[in-house]
Structure formats: C-alpha cells, structure tokens
Amino acid sequence: MHSAVFLIEFGAIILGLGLLGRVAGRFHFSPIPLYLLAGLAFGKGGLLPLGTSEEFVAIGAEIGVILLLLMLGLEYTASDLVSNLKTQYPAGLVDFALNAVPGAVAALLMGWGPVAAVVLAGVTWISSSGVIAKVMSDLGRLGNRETPVILSILVLEDLAMAVYLPIVTALLAGVSLAAGSATLAIALGVAGAVLFVAVRYGRVISRFVSSDDPEKLLLVVLGLTLLVAGIAQQLQVSAAVGAFLVGIALSGEVAEGTHTLLSPLRDLFAAVFFVFFGLHTDPASIPPVLLPALALAVVTALTKVATGYWAARRAGVGVKGRWRAGGTLVARGEFSIVIAGLAVTAGIEPALGPLATAYVLILVVVGPLTARYTEPLAAYVTRRRPSDGPRLAAAPSPATSSEAVEDQDPAGRA
C-alpha cells in the first residue's frame, strides 16, 4: 500500500511538472517560477501536502543540483576558464561589489546576523546561467558581440562558487575558524588540482571516459560525477562544486555526447529540485517578506544592469550591446535557490527561505523581460531627452559609425 501511494504521488508530481513546462513553453518564459509555485502548493501549509514521496523527492533534488552543475561545467573548458580569469576578473569584482553587497546589507538591516548576511549576499550575487542561456538562445543573440562578455561574467560567478560554497557550508555548520580555514584550504586545493589535471590531462580523461555506446558513456559519466560529488561532500566541499569540476574536466566529443545524453535527466531532476525547495517553504511565510523581496529585486536588477553595461563597455561593445548585456544578466535562479536551501536546511533564519523564494520568483519572471526590453527602453528614454541645441544634419562621425557597427551581431542585425 505504501508503495502504491508513493507511485501515485511521485507520478502526479512528474505529470504536473510536465504540464507546467508545457504552459511555460507556450508563453515563452522559464518554467522555474511554476515549479516553485507547485512546491508551495503541495508542501507544508499548502493545498495538499505530500507525505510518502517526500524523502525520494529530497534525494532527487540533490541529484538535480549535481546534474545542473555538471552540465554547466560541460559548457566550458579548463583553458577557457583560465583565460577568463586573466582577462575578465575586473568585471567579476564589479559584479561582486554591486550585487553581493545589497544582499548582505539587507540581511543586516533586518537583524539576521553575519551568517545570514553572507548567505543572502550569495543569493543576490549569482545570476541564473540556465535561464540566461535559454533567453539568449530564444532571442537569437548567441552570435552577438556582447555574448562573450555575458558568458565571462557567468563563468567567473560559477568559479567563485567553488570558494563561496565551502565557506557558507562551514559557517552554517558553526565550525571554528581553524576548521573553517581548513575546509576552505581543502576546497581551494581540490579545485586547483582538478583544474590543473583538466588543463594538462583533459584529453586523457576524455579518452578514458569516451565510448561509442551511449549506454556505457551515460553510466560512466553519471557514476563518476556522483562519486566525485560524494567525495567532495565528505571532504566538506560542496557536492555541486565537485560536479562542476567534473564537467570542466571533460571536453570534445565526450562533452557533447554527455550533454545530449544527460539533458533529459538534468531537466527532470532540476525540476524536482525546484519543487523540493518550494515544498519546504510555507506559503503563509511569504507575504510578510514580500515587500523586502520586491525592494531587493528592484535594487539588484538595477545593479546587474549596471554590471553588464560596465563590463560590455570595457570590452569595447557599442551602447546597444551594453544595455542588452545588462538586461540579460538580471535573472536569478538555480544557484540562488541552492544557496538559500543550504541555509534553510541549517535552520539559521526562518524568514530567509521565504524571502529567497519570493526574490527568485520575481527575478526569474522579470529577467527574460529585461533581456528583451532594456535596450529598447534605454533607446526610448535617450530619444526623449531634450536636445542641448540645434544639430547639423551631417553625416555620422567615425565614432558614431564604428559604434553602430559594434552594436551589430556578426549577421549584421542591430
């Protein structure tokens, strides 16, 4: 009987997620907010709380995080990461200063203490790579001149997580300064070692993993990822970071084949992860934090736009591309929920989970809109400004002409 109830509950969850994904696809927006709302509806204090399948959903959610980070790591090679660190680190520093600080200040103003401040700083800092990648693809901007700038910032954020997550894990566990320092040293050592091996022996690893049989390739890569993630977690390094580093170590045809094979699994378990986070948030706890979440969303949306604009300007991208870069970076999603989920599990601040849920819900909906409309809105506002005086109807200056060229993608579209 217990088995039958579990199958009914879990089957209903998967079917519901599929239907919600269809609805999101029909209206061309991310399904993440719908998954979160589904979790709120069937979690504690929801319309119909689940019971039997909750433990399995928790395991599925952990696998979802691991697969999200593995697939993200597959998008980059170790040499790309080293190159981005050398050339784009100023943009990463500006990104941290403009977007992590508001979260930390907000937590301190609400009296949550320094540990919650560090957690909320991470929630507001990290953009959603998954949502942003889908938005750029949907808008046909993958070939635009600002796209490498956007990807560089996302890569730097992902790399920063390799340092940030162990720090947060140690703080939430309440370990001593010495133990926390040891944890961070281990995390940096493991990350550095994996990056070195990936740069030096990436082809060897890929040949070892490679197989013409999709079944064998799937089993080896998935088993290796879960094994490394488990070892990383045992060493008090985030399992998600371990999975990310495995993805970086794989390259070439192996990375492409793995991406194709694991994409459906990633989508399934990632959806379960977002539902799981919603299951552990009481809907009644969201209204009290809705106003702070909205204020924080407005502030950090503007700071992300400023980050993208500055980084694109530094890279020599034209004005239109700068606004597009800023608007595209606004969306928050999977990483923000992962960070908040760690805090919710540790029980450091009851209101942090609801605030993070409301915050992500707002920005995961607003993000695709800012990506599409920030540049046209900026152009409209610029045109509405009063002119400083009469202008001659002369041919555009060389600077203007080159800027117009910079605003176009390789296909010539503005």
Side-chain angles (χ1 to χ4, degrees):
M1 185 65 183
H2 182 275
S3 174
V5 174
F6 164 76
L7 291 175
I8 292 170
E9 281 191 358
F10 193 66
I13 291 173
I14 300 302
L15 176 60
L17 292 176
L19 295 176
L20 291 174
R22 284 189 178 184
V23 171
R26 185 176 183 84
F27 292 98
H28 305 289
F29 67 89
S30 170
I32 292 176
L34 296 183
Y35 296 157
L36 287 171
L37 290 174
L40 291 173
F42 295 101
K44 300 173 182 177
L47 300 175
L48 186 61
L50 300 176
T52 309
S53 60
E54 187 171 350
E55 185 176 350
F56 185 82
V57 170
I59 297 172
E62 191 165 353
I63 294 175
V65 175
I66 290 170
L67 291 179
L68 276 171
L69 272 294
L70 169 66
M71 300 295 279
L72 196 59
L74 290 173
E75 298 292 334
Y76 313 112
T77 65
S79 57
D80 288 339
L81 294 178
V82 173
S83 174
N84 279 322
L85 279 175
K86 290 180 178 178
T87 60
Q88 297 294 340
Y89 72 90
L93 294 175
V94 169
D95 181 34
F96 172 78
L98 291 182
N99 298 287
V101 172
V105 171
L108 294 175
L109 289 176
M110 289 185 284
W112 288 357
V115 176
V118 173
V119 172
L120 194 56
V123 171
T124 60
W125 174 19
I126 305 298
S127 298
S128 171
S129 301
V131 174
I132 290 171
K134 188 172 190 317
V135 167
M136 288 194 298
S137 176
D138 291 344
L139 296 177
R141 294 182 181 174
L142 294 178
N144 280 22
R145 295 182 182 275
E146 73 273 9
T147 297
V149 176
I150 296 169
L151 293 179
S152 294
I153 292 174
L154 295 178
V155 169
L156 288 168
E157 289 180 350
D158 298 335
L159 281 175
M161 287 294 97
V163 178
Y164 173 83
L165 287 177
I167 292 175
V168 169
T169 303
L171 289 174
L172 293 174
V175 300
S176 64
L177 179 62
S181 301
T183 299
L184 178 58
I186 292 171
L188 291 175
V190 170
V194 173
L195 283 175
F196 173 78
V197 170
V199 172
R200 197 73 179 267
Y201 305 106
R203 293 183 179 179
V204 176
I205 297 171
S206 295
R207 282 200 299 269
F208 171 75
V209 173
S210 178
S211 174
D212 294 331
D213 187 337
E215 178 184 352
K216 294 183 177 64
L217 178 62
L218 174 64
L219 292 173
V220 170
V221 173
L222 185 58
L224 177 64
T225 303
L226 293 175
L227 177 63
V228 172
I231 293 173
Q233 191 156 311
Q234 190 69 25
L235 294 172
Q236 295 187 335
V237 180
S238 169
V241 172
F244 178 66
L245 293 173
V246 171
I248 291 172
L250 302 179
S251 60
E253 293 182 2
V254 172
E256 294 176 8
T258 301
H259 193 282
T260 302
L261 290 171
L262 285 179
S263 289
L265 277 178
R266 184 270 316 268
D267 294 340
L268 168 63
F269 285 106
V272 171
F273 165 70
F274 290 115
V275 169
F276 175 74
F277 187 82
L279 288 174
H280 285 258
T281 303
D282 188 347
S285 63
I286 289 183
V289 298
L290 192 56
L291 193 58
L294 182 59
L296 198 57
V298 171
V299 171
T300 53
L302 293 175
T303 54
K304 273 293 182 184
V305 171
T307 299
Y309 187 96
W310 183 88
R313 181 181 179 182
R314 179 176 176 273
V317 177
V319 175
K320 291 182 179 180
R322 298 172 199 170
W323 287 115
R324 288 195 294 263
T328 302
L329 286 168
V330 167
R332 304 321 196 265
E334 58 275 5
F335 253 135
S336 297
I337 297 297
V338 169
I339 296 165
L342 293 174
V344 169
T345 303
I348 62 162
E349 176 55 52
L352 183 55
L355 176 68
T357 301
Y359 175 79
V360 170
L361 277 171
I362 293 168
L363 288 185
V364 83
V365 173
V366 171
L369 299 178
T370 59
R372 184 185 295 268
Y373 297 113
T374 297
E375 183 263 314
L377 180 61
Y380 173 79
V381 172
T382 303
R383 287 196 301 267
R384 295 281 294 178
R385 287 179 181 172
S387 60
D388 297 329
R391 298 186 181 182
L392 296 175
S397 66
T400 306
S401 299
S402 79
E403 185 175 83
V405 171
E406 287 172 350
D407 285 332
Q408 294 178 337
D409 65 16
R413 297 187 301 269

